[in-house]
Structure formats: structure tokens, C-alpha cells
Amino acid sequence: MSIAVQPVSASPANVERIVTPAGIEVWRVHSDVVPLVAMSFIFEGGAAQDRLDRPGVAQMVAQLLDEGAGPYDSDAFQERLAERAIELSFSVGQDSLGGGLRVLTRHLDEAAALTRLALTEPRFDGEAIERVRAQTIAGIRHQMKDPAVLASRRFYADGFPGHVYSAPNGGTVESVGAIGREDLLAMRDRLIARSGLRVAIVGALGRNEVVRLVDDVFGDLPETGGATPAPRVALAGIGTRSVVDIDVPQSVIRFGMNGIGWRDPDFTAAFVLNHILGGGVFTSRLFQEVREKRGLAYSVGTSLASFRGAAMTMGFTATKNERVAEALDVISSEIGRLKAEGPSPDELAKAKAYLTGSYALGFDTSTKIAQQLAQISFEGLGVEYIARRNALVAAVEADDVARAAERMLGDGRMLIVVAGRPEGL
Amino acid sequence: MSRSPVRAAPAIVTKAREGVDGDGPAVDSFMLDNGLEVVVAPDRRVPVATHMVWYRNGSADDPVGQSGIAHFLEHLMFKGTEKHPAGEFSKVVSSLGGQENAFTSYDFTAYFQRVAREHLETMMGFEADRMANLALADEVVAPERDVVLEERRMRVETDPGAQLSEAMASALFVHHPYGVPIIGWMHEIEGLNREHALEYYKRFYTPENAILVVAGDVEVDAVRRLAEKTYGRIAPRGAKPQRLRPREPEPRAMRRVTVADSRVEQPLMQRLYLAPSTLTAQGRDAAALEVLGEAIGGGPTAYLYRKLVLEQGVAVNAGAWYMASAVDDTRFAIYAVPAAGTGLEQLEEALDRAVAAIPAEALDDKAVERAKTRLVAETTYAADSQTALARIYGAGLAIGQTIEAVRRWPAEIEAVTREDLASVAQRFLTPRRSVTGQLRKAD
């Protein structure tokens, strides 16, 4: 098999950075192939702005923004979206409230007006609050005995005790039941402001049209909100193992180690290391050892989680109860081996070839481009990052990976959570 | 059912539709001498190509007693050929910066890679090789069967909701294999072996049974040349394999199934109706069912949500969907999640009244227009993704549609009248065609 030498390819998108008269930074890509506009935007401060004893407020705000705004109650607002097939959605992450818009170019004016209303004049009508509350609680109940959800919840509880990251973003049945309208209004004021806003737009729009659109939608927002940075915290519980008992034939496993955040100088090396260990392709070490060679699991892998207040490496798999101990042994020994020996030169070269070669695949639809740009902007990486990114990956050397491995994998111990009825632990 | 380590979605069944107002992106097609059909859909925005091969066989073609063999073979297709040992194809895809996967549905199985356009020929070479030269050793078959068993445990054995879906499909299709899960039944997967897989492979993995779809930054002539050089060398078998599908009898009995499990904390109800597919429907029935699904169940402005959630408050959510893309008669589904304090029986009564009132109450002009607008807009949104385009054509051709039929879909949606909608609702959403399912907590 021959391995092509990957050229460090050109930027996958021609991005222009604009600061509007209202002072809002927007990254735009011009694309006129398909008659649609995609916009992605992110406000600083998400579920981490919840009170530890009342999680779920930020998410409920996100769910209520399109449930009535300005002169339109929820049903009328949704009807205006549906009549023109405007797709407007809001979501909450640990550190962000995000929004996405997809619209046929000919309906952009109406879409902009509705997005502006959702952000500046959400109604939070009593009927909508009670309906969304009931839907949220039904959703929590629906997943309450799902082993994957149980494992993840326990993982965050063990990993970040006393920190807001320990609480589920969507809240609990009790906390969601207790959320009042004043909680929602206060959270809206904290989160939705111009200062922490990132916007990206892709479509057949001129520069002036983009500027007008952004200032129309976001220009009337208050300058500052009240989001406070999440306190810095390191992953706790490394070296501990807990079991959540649930009567299912297959156990879900979560394992965690230290991580390296986006803004850290070692991030790119950590990213390459994670790809080799458990990145989302069929060639990773865990995929090969856990799945291909031993048939222990359908799904296995690791990912880097980078929050404003924490960074970690989080792994996942699921295997029948009888083989949990074996799966954990294999994972543990692969991590130990990677830490001790590092990747082979060929493995490192192939990992870099994949990561550089596949970067453009994330930029092949308008929606994906808008999301990527908003995320890069949110991480504070700068508009030039997109052009620079493949060179950063290509420059990662064995000693960079070793340094990242030292910081991430440490002595090989993990925070382990198992949900199921594991045998032989 | 996919090989993906990350994707959670179950079967991928793409809606067969394309084009903007019936006039989608230019698409070319031709056939190689060995019977392989080729579709090329250019999209020049990024120097990337999506390369897919579709086979016209899915889980509904599994031999009796070997449920899950189509899906198991999909996994085994990554286990190497005489020329390229297990894992080599995946390593090459990865080292070229490509992404790959595969999926199995009721009527088809498909494999794809997304790569920089200059690597298209390499992908074609490997994919053509495994169309004809799969080599399976027992030592790779056994662990992969364990992988599939773990996949089934993950998707079904630990999820009462998925168990309800399986039970409902089994009850809806009393004779047709759409009632058998794509991944197969646990006890039959356990018995699948190398011989089953190779026998199935020899029957279905032939050039006459395959469709090559290339979307992205490519020229038709170049694709033709490369296809002839790779796939064109595979010897034809002389005829397409036949799908041997029993026809579902005309249903007479309303059925109901219940999954009661101690792990259920949120009850819900679903209903399936046996309905014609885009291939078995007469006249405009399939397009009408598609618009009907959107009008009564496509989100918070649709009839069922307004009626059961907003107006009556008996549900916290309600909706509907229709699986148009199928070789044989298919399913139209509605579902509702009860509000706190509403029993499943009370919810079902409300749902029955709402369904009965569809012709009178659900089909005002605004509602019908809204449904059509959203369905037609989806085709423009799909045109933004070369992968979505490739899937639309691949799925359409794999079930037996023509490219013209796929492209005509938006125009057919537009042509549906209020009378068509009332008619399909009255003919197909009837108790004798239905299965009602309940998910509830065990007493």
C-alpha cells in the first residue's frame, strides 16, 4: 500500500471577517450554488450559568426562544416559520447558547425578522413555559433508565463534584419542575448579549447585505449580559471506578482522563494523539483491539472535551456484562502501551495524513461551513486558523505527542463508570 | 444498521426526492457492458467526491432462518479480499484523508467513501475488488458476529422503546419480511456463519445488481473511463438476482401490542398503518401520503400537535411520518406521548377521534400549502449536500425508481389536492390496517 504525501492543502473556505457598525464580528463565506442562506451563531455562557441546585434553566431558555416572540404567540410564530420552510433552532451546551438558521434565499427577510424577534422579544408566555416544561420532563423520564444516560450522568457527577459541570444540562425532573418565569428572564438577560456573540453566514449575499442582516438581527441586543466564566476545574475521581446498577444484558462504560483544551499550545498534539487512540475512524487502536480483534463492542472510542473551565479525554464503549472486565483490561493496556511506547512513525504519519486530508470534508455544505466557522470563532482561534490548521497538524512531531500523552494519559489511571450488571469486576 | 462507531441512527431510509420545482441539478447516468448502472451528480463547490455503491438487496431479502445476513455481510465486506487483506482498504481510505462507512436497510445495502477528488480512482479500484473477490477467514467471521451481537444489545436489548418498534413491525407485516428487524433476531444472528455469508454474497454482489453513484467535483466522462477500468472488468453473471418477496395479504384485523418493562418511566403510544409505497401506490397516492404525513404530523404547526398538545392538552408531543421509499407496501406511522395524568387509553381515544376527523379538520388550504412548501424546500436543502444527493439517487434507483421518477417528486408533491389527501386518509388510516403499540411500565 502506498501512502500519498499529503500536501498541506489550501484553506477549505474563503472566509471574510467583518465587524459591523453595531460592533458585531461576523465571518462570512460567499456561496451561490444553492439558493439558501445558512447562519450559525453562538452566545458565550450556556448550561454552566445554571445554579448547581437548579440545572436546566439555560436549556429551557433555548427551547422557549422560538415559542412566541413579539406580536406572535407560540403557534403563530411557528406558523410563520413553517409557511416559508424557515429552519430556526436553538440549543445549549456547557458554555454556549447556540442558534442555527437555514432558509431559502428568497425568504431571508422574514427569517431575519423572526430570528431578531426570538432573540430580542421572546415572550415566555405561561402556556409555552408549561408545555416546554412538560416536554422536557417527559424527555428526562424517557431516558431515565437508559444505561448510556445513566453512565454519562454518573461520569459527570463523579468527575466534577460540586461544580456546575456535574449537573445535567437539561436538568432533572425536580429542577425543571421548579423553574419559574423569573429564572428564565434572568437567564435570558445573562446569556443573550452582543459582547459574547459569534456569527457566521454562508450564502449568496454581498458584504453589505451581510452587514445589514447581522445588525438587523443582533444590533438591538444589549451590549453586555451577565455570564460569568465557569470556575476552572480538573477532572476528579481518576483512579476510581463506580457501577450504576441496572438490569440490562450489556453494560455501558465511560472512562475519563485528563484533557487538553482548544486554546492550549499542546492542543493539536493532543488531537493527533486522541485520533490514534480512539478517534472516529476504523483504524484507531481501541477500534482495532476492542472491536476488530476481539469483537468486544460495536462502538468504542475517545474524544477530547474542551470546556471553558475544564478539559478532559472521555472514552466510551458498551459490552455484554460477561465481558466488561476483559474490555476494561484491553482499554487500559492499550492506553499504557501508547503512553509507554508512543505511536510508531508510520502511525503518526498516517494520523496526520488523515487529519489534514479530511479537513475539507467538514466544509462541504453551507450549514457545515457556518457551524465550523462559528465554532472556531467561539474558541477564539482567529479567522486565519482555518488556513493555518493543516500546517499545525503537519508540524506535530513525536515529542509533541509524547508531551501530550504525558499530560493526558498520566499514569494510565482513569475515572471509570459502568452502568449495567458487570461480572468479574 | 451501519458499521459506524459513532452514528446512532437505525436504518437509513432516504426519501426519494430531488430537484427544485422538479428541475434539480443535472444528473447523468449510463450502464457498463456488464450491467452495472452508473449515476453522476456533479457538485463543484469543493474538490471532494462522494463514491457510493448500492446493492439492490436488503434485510427483506434475507433467507428464511438467516435474518440479519444482509447486515452481517455488510460488516464482513470490510474483512478483505484475495488481493487486499482485512483492514487494508480502511487504512488506505484513512491515510488519504477519506471517510467511509456502509449501511443496510430493508431494500438495499450501500458502501461509501468521501475523498479528495484525485483519490476517486483508488476508491473505485478497492470497491470493485470487493464486489467480486471477498475472502473470508473463519477467524475474522467469529469476532465480527460478536460485534453485531453487541450492536443488537446496544440498539434493542437494552431499550424497551426499540423492542416495541420491533414488535409493532412484526405485527404489521404478518407475512412480508419487512416485519423482521434489519439487524436480525438475536437467536438467528448467533447462528450465522461464513458459509451463509458467502452464499448470500455470491447471489447478490454482482455488477447487474449494483448501482454506482458518484457525486461531487467530477466530470461524467472521467467517471465513465474510471468505472470501465475498474468495475467494468468484473464479469457479468448474465442476469440480475431476483428478489423473492411474498406479498402482504389485505389486512383484516386491528392489532395491538404492548411492551411493559420496569425501566419505562415515560409511557408512549404509536400506531402503524399498512400503506402503499412510492412503488406500489396507484396514481398520486404516495405523494398524497407524504403530504398527509407532513400536514398531520410534521412538527408543531401540524394537525396532531395542535389538536392533542395545544388544544386538548392530552399529549406533550405528537406527530407522524411515512416511509415512501420502499419496494413493497410500507408503513405510515403516528405517535403520541401522553401528558402527565393522561392514561394511554384516554390518549388513544383522543387520537382515534383526531384521525377520524382528518378529512373535515386537518386539511384546510393553509395547512396543505405549508406541508407542500416544507417538503419541496427540503429538496433544495438536500441539494446543498453532495452526500444527500448521492443518497437520494442511490436509494431511489435501488428500490426500482427511475432517475426521472426521483426528479419528478417535487412536482408530484405540488400536484396533490385536498381531495387526494382526504381520500388516502380514508382509505389507508383505517383500524383494520393498523397496529397500535403501547410502551408502559411493568406492573
Side-chain angles (χ1 to χ4, degrees):
Chain A
M1 167 180 55
S2 67
I3 299 302
V5 177
Q6 276 298 319
V8 176
S9 54
S11 175
N14 288 315
V15 187
E16 182 185 8
R17 177 181 173 275
I18 304 170
V19 177
T20 69
I24 297 163
E25 179 173 329
V26 53
W27 295 7
R28 80 155 182 135
V29 169
H30 187 267
S31 173
D32 56 8
V33 177
V34 183
L36 64 83
V37 173
M39 176 163 76
S40 185
F41 50 95
I42 303 179
F43 294 97
E44 180 78 39
Q49 303 301 313
D50 283 340
R51 267 167 39 197
L52 184 55
D53 63 349
R54 189 163 292 177
V57 177
Q59 177 170 299
M60 203 155 157
V61 166
Q63 285 174 343
L64 279 160
L65 291 176
D66 64 358
E67 291 279 355
Y72 310 118
D73 70 8
S74 173
D75 193 43
F77 190 89
Q78 288 294 333
E79 185 165 289
R80 296 188 82 85
L81 292 174
E83 274 170 353
R84 294 168 185 79
I86 298 166
E87 297 182 355
L88 174 65
S89 62
F90 298 96
S91 63
V92 149
Q94 295 283 21
D95 304 300
S96 62
L97 186 154
L101 174 69
R102 184 161 71 164
V103 59
L104 302 176
T105 309
R106 65 177 185 274
H107 296 315
L108 181 60
D109 288 346
E110 177 72 8
L114 292 169
T115 309
R116 185 187 71 76
L117 280 179
L119 292 170
T120 55
E121 300 178 48
R123 288 159 62 118
F124 298 107
D125 287 337
E127 178 278 328
I129 291 174
E130 293 316 314
R131 184 162 39 78
V132 168
R133 187 199 312 281
Q135 287 165 346
T136 305
I137 289 174
I140 295 169
R141 285 190 185 284
H142 183 64
Q143 298 193 316
M144 207 173 256
K145 300 282 174 69
D146 178 334
V149 172
L150 288 170
S152 291
R153 292 215 165 164
R154 180 62 176 270
F155 181 89
Y156 280 94
D158 287 359
F160 301 103
H163 192 282
V164 69
Y165 290 158
S166 69
N169 286 359
T172 63
V173 169
E174 296 71 32
S175 74
V176 171
I179 292 170
R181 187 167 188 274
E182 64 286 0
D183 294 322
L184 298 165
L185 294 173
M187 185 61 77
R188 191 272 311 257
D189 291 345
R190 278 181 94 169
L191 295 180
I192 300 177
R194 273 182 289 155
S195 60
L197 172 65
R198 308 290 175 162
V199 185
I201 294 175
V202 180
L205 299 177
R207 193 178 198 281
N208 293 339
E209 291 170 294
V210 168
V211 167
R212 188 167 56 82
L213 170 66
V214 169
D215 280 354
D216 276 357
V217 173
F218 305 101
D220 289 341
L221 293 176
E223 167 59 28
T224 53
T228 51
R232 295 287 311 172
V233 61
L235 186 70
I238 291 179
T240 69
R241 186 173 71 199
S242 41
V243 174
V244 184
D245 180 66
I246 174 99
D247 186 10
V248 284
Q250 182 188 60
S251 293
V252 173
I253 299 170
R254 299 282 180 265
F255 52 98
M257 294 162 287
N258 288 316
I260 291 175
W262 269 96
R263 298 167 186 224
D264 190 294
D266 282 338
F267 173 76
T268 308
F271 183 63
V272 173
L273 177 70
N274 178 70
H275 178 79
I276 292 167
L277 174 63
V281 295
F282 302 151
T283 49
S284 82
R285 286 195 177 192
L286 291 182
F287 193 89
Q288 285 298 316
E289 297 298 324
V290 174
R291 173 168 158 159
E292 293 294 291
K293 289 193 187 152
R294 295 176 179 83
L296 280 161
Y298 173 69
S299 113
V300 60
T302 56
S303 58
L304 291 179
S306 176
F307 305 141
R308 288 292 197 245
M312 66 168 168
T313 307
M314 188 174 177
F316 56 91
T317 192
T319 190
K320 64 177 175 180
N321 291 331
E322 297 86 338
R323 297 187 80 182
V324 170
E326 183 187 356
L328 285 171
D329 280 348
V330 173
I331 290 166
S332 187
S333 88
E334 281 310 307
I335 288 169
R337 198 164 64 87
L338 185 57
K339 169 77 191 319
E341 299 167 14
S344 71
D346 181 55
E347 200 178 12
L348 178 58
K350 282 178 187 159
K352 285 156 57 174
Y354 170 78
L355 293 170
T356 51
S358 63
Y359 192 48
L361 300 180
F363 290 82
D364 69 340
T365 75
S366 301
T367 308
K368 277 202 234 170
I369 295 170
Q371 287 169 350
Q372 291 261 16
L373 298 190
Q375 193 64 37
I376 292 164
S377 177
F378 177 72
E379 296 296 347
L381 296 169
V383 74
E384 69 285 358
Y385 175 82
I386 300 152
R388 211 157 43 92
R389 184 267 193 194
N390 273 357
L392 291 173
V393 173
V396 171
E397 300 293 346
D399 56 338
D400 302 314
V401 175
R403 197 170 59 249
E406 185 63 41
R407 292 177 60 188
M408 282 163 62
L409 311 179
D411 58 7
R413 290 182 309 150
M414 299 178 277
L415 162 60
I416 295 170
V417 174
V418 181
R421 292 262 161 97
E423 292 177 14
L425 282 192
Chain B
M1 296 298 120
S2 115
R3 193 170 187 271
S4 165
V6 285
R7 196 172 58 220
I12 301 299
V13 177
T14 313
K15 290 177 177 178
R17 58 167 79 120
E18 165 42 24
V20 183
D21 301 328
D23 186 23
V27 172
D28 278 285
S29 70
F30 52 89
M31 191 175 280
L32 301 186
D33 291 343
N34 59 11
L36 182 94
E37 202 169 346
V38 185
V39 179
V40 184
D43 168 15
R44 302 233 153 69
R45 285 176 294 172
V46 282
V48 169
T50 298
H51 170 244
M52 302 189 92
V53 169
W54 297 70
Y55 294 95
R56 296 175 176 93
N57 53 278
S59 65
D61 305 299
D62 289 350
V64 172
Q66 294 175 31
S67 65
I69 190 69
H71 171 250
F72 186 39
L73 181 64
E74 176 222 303
H75 279 238
L76 294 174
M77 285 288 282
F78 292 80
K79 297 301 183 182
T81 63
E82 288 144 29
K83 215 160 96 191
H84 301 294
E88 186 185 326
F89 188 9
S90 291
K91 279 185 198 157
V92 170
V93 171
S94 170
S95 67
L96 297 175
Q99 295 172 344
E100 62 170 337
N101 218 323
F103 49 89
T104 306
S105 189
Y106 297 104
D107 294 322
F108 50 72
T109 311
Y111 302 80
F112 69 92
Q113 302 85 33
R114 302 177 61 233
V115 289
R117 64 180 172 200
E118 62 269 25
H119 302 310
L120 179 62
E121 181 175 0
T122 307
M123 298 301 107
M124 287 175 140
F126 273 98
E127 196 65 81
D129 177 48
R130 72 172 167 183
M131 184 180 288
N133 303 310
L134 185 67
L136 292 178
D138 275 327
E139 59 265 29
V140 300
V141 172
E144 198 59 35
R145 187 174 48 228
D146 287 341
V147 169
V148 174
L149 290 167
E150 292 296 349
E151 181 178 359
R152 187 175 159 91
R153 286 188 190 99
M154 186 185 88
R155 293 186 193 280
V156 185
E157 305 300 319
T158 57
D159 181 358
Q163 291 163 21
L164 177 67
S165 297
E166 279 192 350
M168 290 182 68
S170 300
L172 183 73
F173 297 101
V174 302
H175 190 49
H176 190 280
Y178 287 165
V180 178
I182 294 168
I183 196 168
W185 298 113
M186 200 81 187
H187 66 284
E188 292 189 351
I189 302 170
E190 284 167 351
L192 297 177
N193 61 31
R194 178 175 175 274
E195 284 65 42
H196 295 138
L198 286 176
E199 199 176 317
Y200 182 90
Y201 173 74
K202 283 183 195 126
R203 178 172 163 208
F204 285 115
Y205 282 63
T206 76
E208 293 95 333
N209 199 40
I211 302 149
L212 168 66
V213 184
V214 181
D217 194 3
V218 294
E219 302 285 346
V220 179
D221 289 344
V223 171
R224 183 195 298 268
R225 205 177 62 248
L226 295 176
E228 280 168 355
K229 215 167 120 182
T230 51
Y231 295 99
R233 293 186 184 165
I234 301 171
R237 302 284 186 86
K240 245 185 218 183
Q242 293 300 305
R243 296 182 195 260
L244 306 169
R245 301 271 185 89
R247 210 179 118 197
E248 188 65 21
E250 191 60 20
R252 300 269 194 270
M254 183 179 91
R255 286 137 283 168
R256 53 175 63 249
V257 295
T258 300
V259 168
D261 190 297
S262 62
R263 285 171 288 153
V264 174
E265 300 292 340
Q266 175 59 55
L268 54 82
M269 70 159 293
Q270 297 176 19
R271 180 171 292 153
L272 294 177
Y273 295 98
L274 186 69
S277 72
T278 190
L279 281 200
T280 62
Q282 305 289 313
R284 287 200 293 261
D285 282 357
L289 285 162
E290 186 81 31
V291 176
L292 182 69
E294 184 68 27
I296 70 167
T301 58
Y303 170 71
L304 290 174
Y305 188 93
R306 280 181 167 172
K307 194 89 180 168
L308 302 177
V309 179
L310 298 182
E311 209 174 288
Q312 299 177 7
V314 293
V316 296
N317 200 2
W321 50 266
Y322 165 58
M323 190 185 286
S325 175
V327 170
D328 299 309
D329 282 355
T330 183
R331 54 198 97 188
F332 186 104
I334 55 185
Y335 60 89
V337 181
T342 301
L344 287 174
E345 289 70 23
Q346 186 193 346
L347 179 63
E348 188 176 329
E349 283 167 25
L351 186 73
D352 285 339
R353 282 195 302 273
V355 170
I358 285 171
E361 297 183 24
L363 306 174
D364 63 88
D365 289 347
K366 267 182 91 174
V368 174
E369 271 319 299
R370 207 162 54 228
K372 288 184 185 177
T373 300
R374 284 162 59 99
L375 290 171
V376 173
E378 271 182 33
T379 63
T380 304
Y381 294 147
D384 186 36
S385 162
Q386 60 173 250
T387 308
L389 275 185
R391 284 186 178 229
I392 286 166
Y393 283 105
L397 266 61
I399 64 164
Q401 286 187 289
T402 61
I403 288 179
E404 292 66 38
V406 174
R407 289 171 66 82
R408 218 169 36 233
W409 184 246
E412 288 181 5
I413 293 291
E414 296 285 11
V416 167
T417 66
R418 190 181 177 286
E419 290 66 37
D420 295 333
L421 296 174
S423 167
V424 291
Q426 279 160 336
R427 281 182 291 139
F428 299 116
L429 306 195
T430 61
R432 62 157 52 186
R433 306 186 69 84
S434 77
V435 176
T436 302
Q438 294 185 339
L439 183 67
R440 54 165 73 237
K441 194 169 183 69
D443 297 326

